[in-house]
Amino acid sequence: MGFGSRMDCCGQFVKYSLFIANFVMFVGGAIVFSLTLWTLVDRSFVNELLGTNLFSGAVYVLLVTSVIICLVSFLGCIGAGKEVKCLLLSYFIIVALVFVTMLIGGVLGYVFRERVQQTMRQEMRSTMALYGSRREITQAWDLTQERLQCCGVDTWHDWNRYGPVPESCCQELFGGQRKECTIFPTITNLYNQGCLHVATNFIRDHAAVIGGTSIAVAILMIFGMIFSCLLFNMIE
């Protein structure tokens, strides 16, 4: 395998451009994998309150495709370095398929980013009635209020119709101790912000980072496909 004499300079440029593009793709795929894994772990405590599987679906799609991206970019590096046409052709086909999947995952992340507040308000209010009776709902609310330092949907008064304010609404002191707020709740002993606003920003930030990164990697994959196609045609 090799290049024609008149194509040596151009061929070498395309070859190393493809190698560099694949290296950056590998790094990008690893970043997307880390971000999606971080999001799955970090947002697990609000999973029961989301009210939609769209965000979870987008994250899992990107998690799988980011692993494939890392493997395929390695394949592309070998194909470019060894100048093997069958590897370049396989690389082009796989990258084209993953490109579509990656782009869909990124778009879903942004779609969820705009829909999050509409779905969460309705779902959060419906789950408040189940607090104390369903273990997963109770844990979700407690962890959400503790970690995001919020209380209720829009305000702590939302809990009045369902019973006493949960202890997870009470402001935390040093050493893990909390102020007493369940009997006489006031703005001085509990979290004042509603969880809808705080959780919405929390999820939006995660969705924006993942969606933006995946779209950037998908765009980079276009260059990988172009360079692989050019290199395939240049190899004798």
Side-chain angles (χ1 to χ4, degrees):
M1 295 291 181
F3 304 109
S5 58
R6 291 181 298 178
M7 299 297 294
D8 283 345
C9 182
C10 185
Q12 290 296 326
F13 172 77
V14 173
K15 173 180 176 179
Y16 288 111
S17 296
L18 177 60
F19 187 88
I20 294 173
N22 277 286
F23 176 76
V24 178
M25 281 172 54
F26 179 86
V27 174
I31 291 174
V32 173
F33 176 80
S34 301
L35 288 174
T36 51
L37 196 62
W38 161 63
T39 299
L40 286 174
V41 174
D42 203 31
R43 69 110 183 105
S44 60
F45 64 93
V46 293
N47 189 44
E48 294 293 334
L49 310 182
L50 288 179
T52 177
N53 292 323
L54 180 58
F55 184 62
S56 297
V59 171
Y60 281 116
V61 166
L62 292 177
L63 183 67
V64 174
T65 52
S66 62
V67 174
I68 298 175
I69 283 294
C70 291
L71 297 176
V72 171
S73 59
F74 181 72
L75 176 66
C77 288
I78 295 178
K82 299 294 184 180
E83 301 174 14
V84 181
K85 297 187 73 171
C86 63
L87 284 179
L88 291 173
L89 180 60
S90 301
Y91 168 84
F92 179 86
I93 295 173
I94 297 173
V95 168
L97 295 175
V98 175
F99 169 77
V100 176
T101 307
M102 201 83 169
L103 197 59
I104 290 174
V107 171
L108 283 177
Y110 272 106
V111 169
F112 180 85
R113 184 172 179 261
E114 297 303 322
R115 289 181 51 190
V116 61
Q117 190 161 4
Q118 304 171 19
T119 57
M120 285 188 69
R121 182 185 296 275
Q122 181 179 358
E123 185 68 14
M124 289 175 76
R125 289 194 179 279
S126 64
T127 56
M128 292 182 79
L130 300 175
Y131 183 87
S133 60
R134 284 184 55 181
R135 183 167 174 265
E136 62 275 15
I137 296 294
T138 303
Q139 288 181 339
W141 265 110
D142 286 341
L143 287 173
T144 299
Q145 294 180 145
E146 289 172 2
R147 291 191 58 178
L148 301 184
Q149 296 185 350
C150 58
C151 186
V153 179
D154 296 300
T155 174
W156 63 271
H157 292 288
D158 294 329
W159 286 109
N160 291 340
R161 70 180 69 176
Y162 303 107
V165 173
E167 186 179 348
S168 55
C169 280
C170 301
Q171 294 179 7
E172 187 175 357
L173 301 172
F174 295 105
Q177 299 296 319
R178 292 184 176 277
K179 294 181 180 180
E180 172 54 50
C181 73
T182 57
I183 300 177
F184 298 107
T186 66
I187 60 174
T188 60
N189 59 17
L190 49 68
Y191 299 126
N192 300 316
Q193 281 191 305
C195 291
L196 177 64
H197 174 72
V198 181
T200 296
N201 291 336
F202 177 81
I203 298 299
R204 277 181 175 175
D205 291 343
H206 282 63
V209 171
I210 294 175
T213 305
S214 62
I215 290 175
V217 173
I219 292 174
L220 185 62
M221 291 170 66
I222 296 177
F223 291 97
M225 288 187 287
I226 293 174
F227 288 135
S228 65
C229 187
L230 290 173
L231 187 60
F232 179 87
N233 291 325
M234 289 178 178
I235 295 176
E236 294 180 343

